[in-house]
Structures are given as structure tokens and as C-alpha cells.
Amino acid sequence: MTLFPEMIDAVMRQSIIGRAQDKGLVEVRATNIRDFAPDKHHKADDAPYGGGRGQVMLAEPLYLCHQALCAGAPVHTVFLSAQGRPFDQDKARALLAKGRFILVCGHYEGVDQRFIDQCVDEEISIGDFVLTGGEIPAMAVADAVCRMVPGVLPDEDAFTAESHWEGLLEHPQYTRPENWRGRAVPEVLLSGHHAKIEAWRREMSLRRTKADRPDLYARFTPRTAQDEMLLRKLEAPD
């Protein structure tokens, strides 16, 4: 639900998600809220009660748009909001499990609270900052969810091995040439020894998380004896 569906279509019809839509694996439908405004001018906002700058999105066009999308059956509804709970990989998995959900993009100074109270199940934020509208956060959420749908990526490892799936950051990646401007690819990646490569990647993932996201590292629970050994190694005094 957006005032600017062309923004959504311009991005979500491209690249991996665009191809997934062409194959019928996912559907990202951008619906124009103005189409449901009851007046002839398609008015979707008005001045806030109590005074103040800017405009507030009207409850009625939002409500009518939402009702049309629900088509008589409840659909989990998310409002993209700076006041929402932080979005993360666990929330992406929870939305994937819904199968179908509605993302509401706010604009201007906000949305009439009565629509939120009536129709919204949860509010989500993509960070502690403010944007001009909810379209960019909505596309980020949609992309994060759609890429986990079976068939969108080549195989499950394409997303389960990446940052945040297990609460860790991803290991460094390298490609050709072996030496670039004096910087060489780590020898273990050229060894062909798959067990050693996987052990190196796991260690680098833990090291990167400890250095760059100590909050995630502190919450990490080892899953294997190898994890426990690596944690002892990282915690040992130099």
C-alpha cells in the first residue's frame, strides 16, 4: 500500500526478485492508496489536528485500500514506521511463514493513528533513522522475505550461509585474480580441501562478528564442538 507504486515496481520488477515474479514464485503487488480516495481529487492527506507542520495521511483511503486487499479475509498487516520494532532475519522468517502479508508505506508527517489501531498488526523499522516515506523500507522487507521462497535463489545455502542467518556475520569472499594489487587470496581457499575451507570460513565468520558486531557475538550459542573450540581460541589471551 503506497502513494508511489511506480517506485516499488521500478525496483521489485528487476534482477532476482523480478525474475522470481516472472516465474510465478512470488508476487509483489504495489497498490495505489489514492485509487481508494472517495473524493474526485483523490485526496490522501490533510493537515494534522492540533496544528503543526506537514500533512497526515487520511484514514479512509488507507482503510478502503486495506479492505480491498484483504477481500474479506484477515491478512497480516505491517506498517513501516520509525517507531516500529527493528527488522531482522528472524522477523523476515516470521513474515515468510505468513505466506501473504500487507506492507503499508507511510508518507509526509505520518498516518492517522486510527487506521493503525484498526488495521495494523505490527510496526517495523529498518533502523533508527527517518526517511521521506515507507517505500524503501517496504522494499527492503519484501526483498529479505522473497529471497527465502524456495526456487528464488539456486539453493537454500544461498541464504542460510549468509550474514545474520545464525546470528553471525558472513565470512569474507574472494574471486579472481589470485593476486590483486598486491593483495593475495588466502591460501586455504586455493587448497581444494573442503573441510579446511569450511573451518576457515567459520572462524572468519566468528572473528568478523566479534570485531564488528560484539552484540551479536555475545549472544551467539555454539552449535558444534568445532564452534566451542573456535570460541575458546578467540577468547584465549594473545
Side-chain angles (χ1 to χ4, degrees):
M1 292 174 53
T2 173
L3 296 175
F4 302 97
E6 62 277 5
M7 287 181 62
I8 307 296
D9 291 336
V11 174
M12 304 307 291
R13 284 288 174 186
Q14 304 299 316
S15 189
I16 293 170
I17 305 303
R19 292 194 293 272
Q21 292 204 70
D22 291 341
K23 294 176 183 177
L25 298 172
V26 299
E27 180 184 13
V28 181
R29 186 192 314 166
T31 303
N32 195 334
I33 297 163
R34 291 189 188 278
D35 291 343
F36 297 87
D39 71 305
K40 65 179 181 179
H41 300 294
H42 302 290
K43 186 177 179 62
D45 57 273
D46 209 332
Y49 278 125
R53 68 181 66 186
Q55 300 286 95
V56 175
M57 291 179 66
L58 294 164
E60 188 64 7
L62 286 160
Y63 176 76
L64 294 175
C65 180
H66 185 264
Q67 291 297 103
L69 292 177
C70 289
V75 179
H76 188 78
T77 301
V78 176
F79 176 46
L80 286 307
S81 163
Q83 291 81 41
R85 295 183 64 180
F87 182 67
D88 58 18
Q89 193 66 41
D90 285 341
K91 177 53 66 177
R93 287 196 286 260
L95 290 176
L96 176 66
K98 300 290 184 185
R100 179 176 181 235
F101 55 93
I102 294 171
L103 299 174
V104 182
C105 303
H107 226 78
Y108 311 122
E109 290 302 308
V111 166
D112 191 309
Q113 184 65 39
R114 292 169 293 184
F115 167 76
I116 297 172
D117 295 341
Q118 177 74 19
C119 298
V120 170
D121 295 300
E122 63 176 325
E123 298 184 41
I124 286 177
S125 167
I126 63 165
D128 294 335
F129 51 87
V130 180
L131 298 170
T132 55
E135 284 74 19
I136 291 173
M139 288 186 283
V141 169
D143 188 285
V145 175
C146 287
R147 68 194 301 276
M148 293 188 291
V149 172
V152 173
L153 297 181
D155 54 62
E156 189 176 277
D157 287 346
F159 56 83
T160 59
E162 292 185 333
S163 291
H164 301 292
W165 184 260
E166 290 186 304
L168 296 175
L169 302 184
E170 188 181 10
H171 56 79
Q173 300 278 12
Y174 299 88
T175 187
R176 292 177 177 82
E178 291 181 18
N179 191 299
W180 176 78
R181 297 181 180 269
R183 296 177 180 269
V185 173
E187 289 186 12
V188 66
L189 298 180
L190 308 176
S191 69
H193 195 299
H194 296 297
K196 288 183 179 179
I197 290 171
E198 288 307 310
W200 178 88
R201 286 174 169 169
R202 189 64 168 179
E203 180 175 347
M204 292 302 103
S205 178
L206 283 162
R207 286 187 179 278
R208 175 177 277 181
T209 305
K210 182 181 180 183
D212 296 343
R213 289 294 302 273
D215 56 322
L216 295 178
Y217 181 80
R219 297 197 299 268
F220 176 70
T221 301
R223 287 160 172 74
T224 64
Q226 181 194 37
D227 281 351
E228 293 175 354
M229 179 188 71
L230 287 172
L231 289 175
R232 286 195 296 270
K233 178 180 177 181
L234 293 179
E235 295 303 321
D238 295 332

